[in-house]
Amino acid sequence: QVQLAESGGGLVQAGGSLRLSCAASRRTFYTMGWFRQAPGKEREFVAAITWNGGTTYYADSVKGRFTISRDNAKITVYLQMNSLNAEDTAVYYCGATPRERSGTIENEYDYWGQGTQVTVSS
């Protein structure tokens, strides 16, 4: 059974930064990515990265502020979040799939983590 474990969430003031990590228990994945879900809203795409890190995708709302990266040796994906604002408050979920997918759509993923809370105070 593959497990994804997110970490790095927490409480930060507006304008601050956080770095999320997601470590997989085993297996190499073609695409890994991040989604988020705010209270009362649907889960939405944040960022995704393909296996060699050569291709990345971002939601318009985070472009220029968030950076996704991965370490294949550690089977870990990271999300560096800068210039955070209250609209970024959500539970952030890590996803992974061994299939060749862009990772911008939720149902492209085969595995999900439990989520990590990010709260931005204004």
Side-chain angles (χ1 to χ4, degrees):
Q1 182 71 18
V2 175
Q3 293 183 332
L4 302 178
E6 301 103 333
S7 61
L11 174 65
V12 64
Q13 290 188 334
S17 299
L18 283 175
R19 188 193 193 206
L20 305 183
S21 300
C22 172
S25 59
R26 62 181 180 89
R27 193 169 186 176
T28 300
F29 298 100
Y30 184 88
T31 298
M32 300 184 76
W34 292 92
F35 278 66
R36 67 186 182 186
Q37 187 167 19
K41 296 186 178 181
E42 294 184 352
R43 191 177 296 191
E44 65 175 4
F45 168 72
V46 176
I49 186 167
T50 56
W51 74 273
N52 62 353
T55 303
T56 56
Y57 302 90
Y58 294 95
D60 288 342
S61 59
V62 306
K63 280 181 182 177
R65 301 188 299 122
F66 291 10
T67 302
I68 190 170
S69 60
R70 64 189 289 172
D71 184 334
N72 288 335
K74 297 180 179 179
I75 321 178
T76 298
V77 64
Y78 305 95
L79 186 68
Q80 177 66 43
M81 305 186 295
N82 299 328
S83 302
L84 287 161
N85 58 58
E87 288 68 42
D88 296 316
T89 295
V91 177
Y92 284 70
Y93 296 92
C94 169
T97 177
R99 298 176 289 162
E100 187 174 343
R101 298 290 186 268
S102 67
T104 60
I105 301 173
E106 189 174 355
N107 63 14
E108 292 180 326
Y109 290 88
D110 297 285
Y111 304 98
W112 290 97
Q114 293 299 308
T116 184
Q117 177 71 47
V118 171
T119 303
V120 183
S121 62
S122 56

